[in-house]
Amino acid sequence: MHILLVHADRLTPDPHTGAEPAGDEENGCGQRSAAVAGQFVRLLERPGAAGARTVGACAAELGVSVGYLTAAVRAATGRTPGRLIRHAQVLEAKRLLAGTGMTVRRVAHEVGFEDAAYFCRFFRRETGASPGQFRREARESPVASKSTTVR
């Protein structure tokens, strides 16, 4: 009977404070999971963060297991950490290709690829265009030229 009462008490908000119970799994674990997912996304938003990032390295930096990070990020974003890392790499590569004169090999290295040929296959798979095609189109586009102009 005591156990039943304790569980029932945990399911209802505290009548004096209106606060949800602290032991509720959705609050405790859900908040922790959302916090870890938020930290992961902020990790990827750092300048230069796309280079040489792996899910394992991110998990270690955040102090969680790869499995926990994967579950937390998937629950919060609907995507896997690996997918978000690849997205960050593509965004950084696009920025470098459109806004700098770096060679494709140098861009590949900056976003974490040792092999420029593999980077080109990766970039084409993710964007539908080769790095060279993307650079040419970005430089020919009037919107791109206005957005890359330094003011």
Side-chain angles (χ1 to χ4, degrees), residues 23-108:
D24 189 7
E25 205 169 290
E26 281 189 24
N27 285 336
C29 293
Q31 287 176 354
R32 169 74 175 132
S33 178
V36 167
Q39 289 172 335
F40 174 75
V41 170
R42 283 189 295 282
L43 243 175
L44 295 181
E45 291 173 347
R46 289 184 193 165
R53 281 271 179 218
T54 64
V55 176
C58 291
E61 190 168 334
L62 296 173
V64 297
S65 71
V66 172
Y68 185 82
L69 178 64
T70 300
V73 170
R74 185 173 290 195
T77 67
R79 295 180 179 172
T80 65
R83 182 77 203 132
L84 293 177
I85 289 170
R86 288 189 299 277
H87 181 71
Q89 287 174 311
V90 168
L91 286 178
E92 182 69 5
K94 284 180 174 182
R95 186 186 70 77
L96 293 172
L97 288 167
T100 70
M102 288 183 179
T103 64
V104 171
R105 180 177 304 279
R106 181 74 179 142
V107 170

Side-chain angles (χ1 to χ4, degrees), residues 86-143:
R86 288 189 299 277
H87 181 71
Q89 287 174 311
V90 168
L91 286 178
E92 182 69 5
K94 284 180 174 182
R95 186 186 70 77
L96 293 172
L97 288 167
T100 70
M102 288 183 179
T103 64
V104 171
R105 180 177 304 279
R106 181 74 179 142
V107 170
H109 182 71
E110 288 293 317
V111 296
F113 290 85
E114 294 299 320
D115 183 9
Y118 180 69
F119 166 73
C120 289
R121 288 192 304 273
F122 163 82
F123 191 85
R124 182 184 296 272
R125 183 183 70 232
E126 296 294 320
T127 66
S130 72
Q133 286 172 317
F134 176 82
R135 176 176 273 164
R136 282 189 296 278
E137 290 171 6
R139 290 190 175 162
E140 291 171 1
S141 168
V143 173

